Amino acid sequence: MELREGGLGDARVRALIELHLAEARGSTPADNAHALGAAALDRPDISFWAMWEGEALLGIGALRALDAGHGDLKSMRTAPAHLRRGVGRAMLAHLIALARSRGYTRVSLETGTAPMFDAANRMYEAAGFVDCAAYGGYPASPHNRFMTLEL
């Protein structure tokens, strides 16, 4: 597995982002679906990463700077053909290490509460994330789960 920063112009990356958006929005009311499209991920405050094995896209993830000490995980998604291979855990470990290297004291995330998010929620819990209040301008709702990890 090889991590590469960027790649938002790659058609395979864009297709995985579109799948992520469609599934998130298909299981969460529109006002509570906070997944970002490729254009919204292409900002100076967001570091976007793709994981590859040769030419096969395994997964994606991003880290958004909320402030000097707080990062927000975005667009964590494993390609369907590569589920249960440790891609999500590897991406999560990389983004946490990136946050530490930037001097962040906390990393948070917003995810869903629908059954399609169960595996991701278990992965975040296993990594030490705990529930927290809504943050960063996200509205609280029964469709969203907010989690944080003190670094």
Side-chain angles (χ1 to χ4, degrees), residues 125-150:
E125 291 166 354
F129 283 81
V130 296
D131 290 317
C132 66
Y135 65 91
Y138 292 112
S141 90
H143 305 286
N144 304 97
R145 183 175 183 190
F146 303 94
M147 302 179 81
T148 196
L149 176 69
E150 298 292 329

Side-chain angles (χ1 to χ4, degrees), residues 19 62 88 104 136 144:
L19 173 66
Y104 294 172
N144 304 97

Side-chain angles (χ1 to χ4, degrees), residues 83-145:
L83 292 170
R84 290 179 258 312
R85 292 188 51 207
V87 173
R89 285 188 309 276
M91 181 64 74
L92 182 61
H94 171 72
L95 294 175
I96 290 170
L98 180 62
R100 281 191 172 108
S101 76
R102 292 180 176 174
Y104 294 172
T105 57
R106 181 166 68 128
V107 176
S108 301
L109 62 92
E110 174 276 327
T111 189
T113 58
M116 75 161 279
F117 298 101
D118 287 349
N121 283 321
R122 286 191 304 273
M123 178 184 71
Y124 298 133
E125 291 166 354
F129 283 81
V130 296
D131 290 317
C132 66
Y135 65 91
Y138 292 112
S141 90
H143 305 286
N144 304 97
R145 183 175 183 190

